[in-house]
Amino acid sequence: MSATLSVVMPVYNEAAHLPATIEALIVALAKTDFDAELVLVDDGSTDGSADVARAAVAGRLPLRVVSQPNRGRLEARRAGLGAATGEWVLLLDGRVRIEPGALAFLRRRIAEGDRVWTSHVHVETGCNVLATFWKLIAELAWAEYFDCPRTTSFGSDRFDRYPKGTTCFLAPRALLVDAIGAVRSRYADPRRANDDTPILRWIAAREPIHISPSFDVSYRARTTLRSFLAHSFHRGIVFLDGHGRRESRFFPAAVAFYPASALLAVATARSLRVGLRAACALSLAAAAVGLARRRSAIEIVSLAVVTPLYALAHGAGMWRGLTLMVLRGVRPVARL
């Protein structure tokens, strides 16, 4: 018996990526018996993303377009879930291409009772040092999985040791609705909210999240310096919202970051050499990690060159996040 599936795709100025994303989705769905629909949430795009999506679908898949002012991916996904009709929901981002056999594998596994899945993500690098860096931070942060990719699962006890995200994520619609309804951002602006970690942690406390290299997607990372820095800054903001909580293994690092970075900023203001030496030390340390992990030459270069830039932008984002919490009246020390 077929299962009903709603693919919820939030988009914000993703016109350049949508044709390939939608084509890959249609190809993957054709290998399954899912009775599927695409719910595209246009989150205030100014590049005609919705029209591009309509043209890409071309009547091959039921399409529902939900339009709203720009409110961020969390609220876009909430709106998409409200419009979805399927028993199952696949959250899918506009920059992601599902591999042809991924949904067929998923269909077999959910029939066996494995209900919640996060995708294995291949980051497309194209020998670009910025894109290579995005690939590396995932593989090094979650080495327990990436050193030996396999079909496995994790709960709340091992949540921070496995890659996960809502980039491509499948679960029963009712479970996702409950999860999104249960979590609260500490920012007043929903565009700054962490749109995956608290939601997935809530789910992992209730049933296992599965991952497999057979449920895989390709992700197109940012490749220009401007987009990389902007994304890194945003990642810093949402990192605090998602991991500045005691249940995260990154919580001690989040707490320690503020006094350490404040002292470094004061020292750099007094002597620029201090900041330059810190950047050089960070670059050398990152390269040493790459060497110790036997990464390729371009990966080591990427770590050495990009890590100081990422640290600066991500750190600025974390300070921005703390400011947003204070402006909302949250007591950061008590809540962190």
Side-chain angles (χ1 to χ4, degrees):
M1 188 171 101
S2 65
T4 55
L5 173 71
S6 294
V7 181
V8 173
M9 185 184 299
V11 296
Y12 176 69
N13 292 340
E14 299 287 2
H17 303 291
L18 285 175
T21 296
I22 291 172
E23 186 64 31
L25 171 64
I26 291 173
V27 169
L29 283 171
K31 298 178 181 295
T32 76
D33 66 348
F34 278 124
D35 179 9
E37 66 172 355
L38 173 59
V39 180
L40 185 134
V41 184
D42 185 0
D43 189 39
S45 297
T46 58
D47 66 348
S49 287
D51 290 335
V52 169
R54 291 186 182 98
V57 170
R60 294 177 293 168
L61 180 68
L63 171 66
R64 183 176 301 129
V65 175
V66 178
S67 297
Q68 66 177 35
N70 179 228
R71 303 191 67 217
R73 283 194 305 182
L74 178 61
E75 293 306 312
R77 288 184 177 132
R78 195 192 307 274
L81 283 172
T85 61
E87 175 190 3
W88 299 88
V89 164
L90 177 71
L91 300 178
L92 182 66
D93 281 356
R95 303 174 69 93
V96 173
R97 290 199 301 268
I98 298 178
E99 297 300 323
L103 295 184
F105 168 82
L106 208 64
R107 180 68 182 97
R108 293 191 298 270
R109 293 302 297 258
I110 66 174
E112 296 170 3
D114 299 330
R115 304 196 326 147
V116 181
W117 288 86
T118 189
S119 64
H120 178 109
V121 179
H122 306 282
V123 178
E124 298 177 1
T125 64
C127 294
N128 179 282
V129 294
L130 298 175
T132 298
F133 182 82
W134 287 124
K135 173 177 177 286
L136 285 168
I137 58 173
E139 293 183 358
L140 294 175
W142 295 296
E144 185 173 333
Y145 172 78
F146 280 111
D147 283 354
C148 181
R150 70 275 187 199
T151 301
T152 186
S153 62
F154 55 91
S156 57
D157 57 331
R158 295 189 299 160
F159 181 84
D160 289 312
R161 301 191 177 277
Y162 285 85
K164 87 289 295 177
T166 48
T167 293
C168 183
F169 183 84
L170 179 132
R173 178 167 57 90
L175 182 64
L176 273 172
V177 169
D178 288 346
I180 287 183
V183 301
R184 294 290 183 272
S185 173
R186 288 172 293 178
Y187 305 146
D189 185 349
R191 295 173 300 174
R192 310 302 183 192
N194 189 301
D195 63 325
D196 53 15
T197 301
I199 294 168
L200 302 190
R201 194 183 295 278
W202 187 93
I203 291 174
R206 287 153 179 81
E207 58 181 283
I209 297 175
H210 298 79
I211 185 172
S212 172
S214 295
F215 174 40
D216 54 338
V217 301
S218 296
Y219 170 77
R220 283 152 284 185
R222 276 77 175 174
T223 57
T224 67
L225 183 60
R226 181 176 180 178
S227 61
F228 175 86
L229 292 175
H231 190 55
S232 301
F233 179 75
H234 179 71
R235 289 275 292 261
I237 296 174
V238 301
F239 176 86
L240 182 62
D241 196 31
H243 289 287
R245 303 168 190 258
R246 295 186 185 278
E247 59 268 26
S248 172
R249 76 180 174 106
F250 300 109
F251 171 75
V255 172
F257 163 78
Y258 292 100
S261 61
L263 288 173
L264 179 59
V266 170
T268 301
R270 292 177 177 173
S271 173
L272 184 59
R273 290 181 181 178
V274 173
L276 292 175
R277 288 172 180 168
C280 289
L282 185 58
S283 178
L284 290 172
V289 170
L291 284 168
R293 296 304 305 273
R294 299 181 180 179
R295 308 302 302 205
S296 68
I298 189 174
E299 290 175 332
I300 294 170
V301 169
S302 174
L303 286 170
V305 172
V306 181
T307 297
L309 297 174
Y310 177 76
L312 183 63
H314 190 276
M318 289 183 65
W319 275 104
R320 176 58 176 160
L322 186 65
T323 302
L324 292 173
M325 289 170 57
V326 171
L327 290 175
R328 193 181 187 190
V330 175
R331 296 174 59 190
V333 174
R335 294 296 297 275
L336 290 178

